[in-house]
């Protein structure tokens, strides 16, 4: 009898374990995992190429090098190189290959102090480099700053970290990383620069990717590195060129060289288009947006409901109202307006949101929400807002001709920009029952953001 009971208990425990594992697997599959390895090299190639050809930032003032490399130097005063500034500018060029037009522009057009590092320690420096004013050439191999590699700073090998320490450089305006000694893992130099945080000292990056064959591990290594460059190091892609137009087709990535240019995050007042979700398909864009909105809603005791109309309620955060201010300003926008009026709304908000009061903005613009948000966030008015509540359709098919994936990527980018204003998403809830399970294109959501 005891043996039978013991077997029954063990059987139940096994069944519970199997059910638990099954639930965890189902939950894992439902979550959005941007760094998951894809099943084939072709899929990895498609994802990487989609990332490299989807710009995050628009630099409106650039200088270009030769037609072969087509490096693009951003010379905007705020985010790029300030050509009007008299402050000395420093550039590092790692492993330049044959074409020195980039270095020539920095020397002759922008008066940079350049430091060029060549991996071939046995040959002499190319004459074109020696003829450039303000240019110093070193012959040393640049290796990743991998803590597991104890010989990384040995004879004829240096990391960028050790070079900066030796040259006493605290800030570098431009880093051009064209080639390294071990091209089979060429992404590792940049990857460890992201990981150890030294990229905080750099303003603009120019990164070359060389792909000889479609290898899934190599392609994934570059994707993971560029993903971290955006999300961890805060750099934004504004230009990509290739050694051949055919290289911009996902089936033609073999024997290709790509030239990518990046600037530091310009801040929340500038729109940044977030990278595509995985391959940029509507399925993955929807999963990423769902993951963002999957936040716990505020408890009823944490809010004070204010009835604005028979169908609309503003949920004021108690924490915001108890912040110590003697007055509270609530701005409500509910009517659809033309684009000209929308552009004027940001100026009105910045004018009437007085610093001595608690500020709450309620947006119920429905299908023009995202047209309003862009100029509103551009104006910087959100810096003065303590609570932002938005009533808007999500996961909708756009009426302006854009693809659903493109619209969801735009929504995700603007929601991330709201967070960049030091706001926290405290509630994201559909107003239609069972919207998460049975979604339609007209589902209305309440999104509440509160100042941290």
């Amino acid at each position: 009898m005891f043996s039978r009971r013991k077997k029954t208990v063990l059987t139940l425990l096994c069944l519970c374990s199997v059910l638990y594992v099954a639930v965890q697997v189902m939950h894992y599959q439902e979550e959005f995992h941007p760094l998951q390895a894809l099943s084939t090299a072709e899929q990895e190639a498609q994802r990487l190429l989609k990332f490299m050809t989807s710009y995050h930032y628009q630099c409106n003032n650039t200088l270009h090098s030769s037609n072969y490399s087509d490096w693009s130097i951003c010379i905007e005063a705020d985010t790029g190189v300030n050509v009007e500034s008299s402050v000395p500018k420093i550039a590092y060029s790692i492993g330049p290959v044959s074409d020195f037009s980039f270095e020539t522009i920095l020397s002759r057009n922008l008066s940079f102090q350049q430091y060029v590092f060549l991996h071939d320690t046995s040959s002499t420096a190319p004459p074109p480099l020696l003829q450039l004013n303000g240019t110093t050439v070193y012959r040393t191999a640049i290796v990743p700053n991998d803590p597991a590699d104890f010989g990384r700073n040995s004879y004829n090998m240096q990391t960028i970290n050790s070079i900066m320490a030796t040259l006493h450089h605290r800030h570098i305006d431009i880093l051009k990383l064209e080639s390294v000694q071990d091209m089979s893992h060429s992404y590792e130099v940049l990857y460890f620069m992201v990981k150890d945080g030294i990229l905080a000292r750099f303003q603009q990056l120019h990164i070359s990717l060389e792909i000889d064959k479609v290898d899934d591990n190599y392609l994934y290594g570059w994707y993971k590195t560029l993903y971290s460059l955006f999300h961890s190091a805060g750099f934004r892609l504004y230009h990509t060129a290739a050694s051949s137009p055919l290289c911009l087709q996902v089936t033609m990535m073999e024997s290709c060289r790509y030239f990518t240019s990046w600037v530091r995050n310009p801040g929340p007042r500038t729109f940044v288009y977030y990278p595509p979700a995985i391959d940029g398909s509507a399925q993955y864009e929807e999963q990423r947006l769902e993951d963002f909105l999957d936040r716990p809603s505020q408890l009823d005791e944490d809010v004070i409901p204010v009835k604005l109309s028979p169908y609309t309620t503003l949920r004021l955060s108690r924490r915001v109202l108890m912040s110590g201010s003697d007055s509270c300003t609530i701005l409500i926008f509910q009517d659809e307006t033309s684009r000209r009026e929308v552009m004027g709304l940001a100026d009105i908000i910045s004018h009437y949101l007085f610093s001595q009061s608690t500020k709450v903005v309620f947006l119920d613009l429905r299908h023009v929400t995202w047209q309003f948000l862009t100029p509103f966030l551009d104006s910087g008015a959100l810096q003065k807002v303590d609570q932002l509540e938005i009533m808007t359709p999500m996961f909708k098919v756009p009426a302006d001709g854009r693809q659903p994936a493109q619209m969801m990527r735009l929504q995700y980018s603007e929601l991330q920009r709201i967070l960049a204003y030091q706001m926290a998403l405290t509630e994201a809830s559909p107003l239609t029952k069972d919207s998460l399970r049975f979604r339609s294109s007209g589902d209305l959501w309440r999104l509440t953001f509160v100042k941290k």
Side-chain angles (χ1 to χ4, degrees):
M1 185 69 179
F2 176 79
S3 178
R4 182 179 299 176
R5 183 179 299 174
K6 187 176 181 180
K7 289 181 179 179
T8 302
V9 172
L10 290 174
T11 302
L12 289 174
L13 289 175
C14 290
L15 286 174
C16 291
S17 300
V18 171
L19 287 174
Y20 176 79
V21 171
V23 170
Q24 293 299 315
V25 170
M26 292 175 61
H27 181 65
Y28 179 84
Q29 291 176 344
E30 291 175 356
E31 289 183 337
F32 177 68
H33 300 279
L35 288 177
Q36 62 182 343
L38 302 182
S39 56
T40 66
E42 287 71 22
Q43 289 178 331
E44 291 288 359
Q46 182 181 5
R47 174 168 66 174
L48 178 60
L49 189 61
K50 186 73 174 179
F51 190 103
M52 290 192 300
T53 55
S54 301
Y55 298 163
H56 314 145
Y57 171 76
Q58 181 177 344
C59 180
N60 296 313
N61 196 1
T62 59
L63 286 176
H64 287 260
S65 61
S66 70
N67 292 331
Y68 169 73
S69 60
D70 196 23
W71 297 104
S72 175
I73 304 171
C74 183
I75 55 174
E76 289 182 346
D78 295 333
T79 58
V81 177
N82 188 354
V83 295
E84 303 297 333
S85 173
S86 59
V87 177
K89 296 177 282 291
I90 298 176
Y92 283 5
S93 178
I94 312 298
V97 180
S98 65
D99 176 20
F100 306 114
S101 59
F102 184 92
E103 290 76 14
T104 302
I105 289 177
L106 292 186
S107 174
R108 296 179 179 175
N109 297 66
L110 301 176
S111 302
F112 263 74
Q113 183 69 37
Q114 288 190 95
Y115 298 84
V116 180
F117 302 91
L118 304 176
H119 306 305
D120 189 355
T121 59
S122 59
S123 62
T124 59
L129 290 177
L130 298 177
Q131 296 171 4
L132 297 178
N133 293 330
T135 300
T136 305
V137 179
Y138 295 92
R139 288 185 290 275
T140 184
I142 304 300
V143 297
N145 189 36
D146 183 359
D149 181 10
F150 295 102
R152 62 187 183 277
N153 290 320
S154 60
Y155 179 71
N156 281 342
M157 288 195 300
Q158 295 289 328
T159 64
I160 293 181
N161 308 61
S162 63
I163 288 173
M164 292 183 66
T166 301
L167 298 177
H168 305 289
H169 290 156
R170 299 291 302 171
H171 175 80
I172 307 299
D173 296 278
I174 288 181
L175 169 66
K176 177 192 172 197
L177 183 57
E178 188 164 0
S179 69
V180 294
Q181 190 175 47
D182 181 11
M183 292 301 292
S184 63
H185 296 85
S186 56
Y187 54 85
E188 288 189 347
V189 170
L190 183 61
Y191 175 77
F192 282 102
M193 290 182 70
V194 174
K195 196 171 182 179
D196 62 29
I198 197 173
L199 282 178
R201 303 183 186 182
F202 292 80
Q203 182 66 25
Q204 190 170 146
L205 304 179
H206 300 272
I207 311 298
S208 175
L209 288 72
E210 184 173 345
I211 300 177
D212 284 333
K213 60 180 180 179
V214 179
D215 176 79
D216 54 347
N217 292 326
Y218 182 77
L219 295 174
Y220 177 74
W222 265 115
Y223 174 75
K224 180 177 67 174
T225 299
L226 297 183
Y227 181 92
S228 301
L229 184 62
F230 179 93
H231 290 278
S232 300
F235 277 86
R236 307 300 182 236
L237 176 70
Y238 68 90
H239 176 79
T240 298
S243 55
S244 168
L246 295 178
C247 294
L248 298 177
Q249 302 176 20
V250 72
T251 56
M252 299 295 294
M253 290 190 71
E254 293 188 1
S255 302
C256 289
R257 182 181 288 268
Y258 298 89
F259 310 93
T260 65
S261 300
W262 307 68
V263 291
R264 293 202 64 81
N265 186 9
R269 294 191 63 171
T270 301
F271 175 72
V272 170
Y273 212 5
Y274 264 60
I278 312 292
D279 61 2
S281 63
Q283 173 191 353
Y284 285 123
E285 293 292 349
E286 185 174 309
Q287 286 184 10
R288 179 169 67 173
L289 199 53
E290 284 179 347
D291 185 69
F292 181 91
L293 298 175
D294 187 19
R295 310 291 174 92
S297 298
Q298 295 184 104
L299 300 176
D300 290 338
E301 56 265 27
D302 295 332
V303 299
I304 300 176
V306 177
K307 205 75 172 177
L308 302 179
S309 72
Y311 308 101
T312 306
T313 301
L314 169 64
R315 290 166 59 86
L316 288 174
S317 169
R318 289 183 181 272
R319 181 170 67 85
V320 170
L321 293 179
M322 298 176 65
S323 60
S325 177
D326 295 332
S327 60
C328 179
T329 301
I330 301 177
L331 291 181
I332 302 170
F333 300 94
Q334 289 184 290
D335 295 330
E336 294 190 4
T337 58
S338 67
R339 180 168 180 82
R340 181 177 179 181
E341 291 171 328
V342 169
M343 293 295 290
L345 289 176
D347 296 330
I348 295 173
I349 292 173
S350 63
H351 179 74
Y352 287 103
L353 290 178
F354 301 107
S355 58
Q356 65 270 20
S357 66
T358 299
K359 288 81 61 181
V360 177
V361 173
F362 179 79
L363 304 181
D364 188 10
L365 301 174
R366 305 300 170 101
H367 298 289
V368 296
T369 299
W370 306 101
Q371 290 91 321
F372 171 85
L373 270 178
T374 296
F376 172 61
L377 297 176
D378 289 347
S379 72
L382 193 58
Q383 293 174 340
K384 302 180 180 181
V385 175
D386 297 290
Q387 177 176 334
L388 171 66
E389 187 160 319
I390 304 173
M391 308 284 283
T392 181
M394 300 294 295
F395 307 101
K396 65 182 290 291
V397 178
D400 56 5
R402 280 183 289 193
Q403 296 297 320
Q406 184 182 9
M407 185 63 191
M408 286 186 285
R409 184 182 168 202
L410 171 67
Q411 292 175 342
Y412 181 78
S413 300
E414 292 293 39
L415 292 174
Q416 287 287 353
R417 186 148 70 128
I418 293 175
L419 298 185
Y421 274 100
Q422 299 303 307
M423 306 289 285
L425 178 62
T426 58
E427 182 172 7
S429 56
L431 300 187
T432 305
K433 190 176 182 180
D434 292 332
S435 288
L436 280 174
R437 184 175 299 177
F438 307 105
R439 183 180 303 121
S440 67
S441 62
D443 286 345
L444 190 64
W445 283 66
R446 181 196 304 275
L447 308 178
T448 303
F449 298 86
V450 174
K451 183 73 73 177
K452 292 181 180 178

